[in-house]
Amino acid sequence: MVTVLLVVLGIALAQWQTRRGDQKQAIESRLLQREADATVELGAAVQDVDQLEFRRMALRGEFIAGWPVYLDNRPLNGVAGFYVLMPFKLAASDTGAANYILVARGWLPRDPADRSKLPSYPTPAGTIEIEGLVRRDFGHVLQLGNAGPLRPQAIVQNLAISEFAAASKFKLQPFVIEQTSNTEDHLLRDWPRPSLGIEKHRGYAFQWYALAVMALIFFVVTGFRRGPENTDKPAQPG
């Protein structure tokens, strides 16, 4: 019974890792295709994230410096840190349109002695132009504890666009931007590639398949050994 469970578990986990690898491979293929496309200029009309995800996008407007939010547990090269998130108001817009977009401006290291202490960084004033990569969201990490009310300067572990829109009252586009252009703010923009980990998933799948095969071989071998042992035993007198 234990062997059957090990075989079933190994195959199930191997197939799950294979699917994850296939999903990452599909993302990589779409990334390569859309990286070659021309840069999109964003207006205030609500855009379709499925059509724009992983496209390069140009924005013209201004950062709302009074509403920064920091995503925690985002390490870079083994160093703990935050993503700096800030709404960006589009220049060519009207009050009835989705005239804001949430931008991941870059990465800041975390103070090892005081998690709540953030390094200072400048925010460009006035109307500027930036470029970035369209993303569906900022990804998700393991949530530790309950998040408090969302407010300016909040440090959170995960953030949904709808949650930010409800708290800030800004009319947001249904996607986010990872800024890639330099705005002289000392923030690092070495964003992890969304398709990262393809080979890791392939390797895990191989290991789980190997475990299932070894469990099956062990069952067969021990079964053959027990067979002759049982037939060689003398019959017990009645």
Side-chain angles (χ1 to χ4, degrees):
M1 184 63 180
V2 174
T3 302
V4 174
L5 289 175
L6 283 174
V7 171
V8 171
L9 178 64
I11 292 175
L13 289 173
Q15 290 178 337
W16 178 74
Q17 290 289 352
T18 298
R19 288 193 298 270
R20 290 290 293 138
D22 291 343
Q23 290 168 359
K24 292 288 184 73
Q25 186 62 62
I27 290 174
E28 177 65 16
S29 298
R30 191 164 36 164
L31 268 169
L32 292 174
Q33 177 186 353
R34 295 192 170 181
E35 281 176 348
D37 293 338
T39 300
V40 178
E41 292 188 8
L42 179 63
V46 176
Q47 304 293 316
D48 183 356
V49 63
D50 291 328
Q51 297 297 321
L52 292 175
E53 189 175 20
F54 307 134
R55 290 284 301 272
R56 289 177 289 115
M57 178 169 284
L59 311 175
R60 187 172 184 274
E62 60 181 316
F63 281 113
I64 308 302
W67 248 105
V69 173
Y70 303 96
L71 276 188
D72 199 0
N73 297 328
R74 265 54 178 196
L76 179 64
N77 299 325
V79 179
F82 307 93
Y83 287 168
V84 180
L85 312 183
M86 192 173 285
F88 188 86
K89 185 178 181 181
L90 300 170
S93 61
D94 57 67
T95 56
N99 53 345
Y100 291 83
I101 186 166
L102 197 53
V103 176
R105 292 184 54 191
W107 180 89
L108 280 175
R110 190 173 75 186
D111 189 318
D114 185 355
R115 170 181 173 272
S116 63
K117 185 179 180 181
L118 293 164
S120 61
Y121 58 91
T123 296
T127 300
I128 61 170
E129 294 183 359
I130 63 171
E131 289 191 7
L133 191 72
V134 177
R135 294 293 306 274
R136 189 176 298 272
D137 52 43
F138 295 114
H140 191 277
V141 299
L142 179 65
Q143 182 77 34
L144 301 175
N146 295 321
L150 189 63
R151 63 187 188 282
Q153 302 284 345
I155 297 175
V156 298
Q157 296 172 75
N158 297 291
L159 181 65
I161 298 174
S162 58
E163 181 184 4
F164 188 91
S168 66
K169 309 304 181 185
F170 296 144
K171 296 179 180 179
L172 293 168
Q173 292 283 346
F175 52 85
V176 299
I177 296 290
E178 286 181 349
Q179 182 181 337
T180 56
S181 56
N182 182 20
T183 45
E184 304 295 337
D185 50 22
H186 315 302
L187 299 173
L188 299 180
R189 299 185 180 89
D190 187 13
W191 303 111
R193 198 165 177 85
S195 57
L196 188 67
I198 296 174
E199 295 305 320
K200 179 184 70 175
H201 289 297
R202 304 291 191 215
Y204 287 158
F206 176 81
Q207 292 174 12
W208 284 116
Y209 277 127
L211 175 65
V213 170
M214 286 189 293
L216 182 60
I217 291 174
F218 177 79
F219 174 76
V220 172
V221 170
T222 54
F224 275 123
R225 287 179 178 173
R226 288 172 185 163
E229 288 175 1
N230 292 334
T231 55
D232 291 343
K233 288 182 181 179
Q236 298 295 326

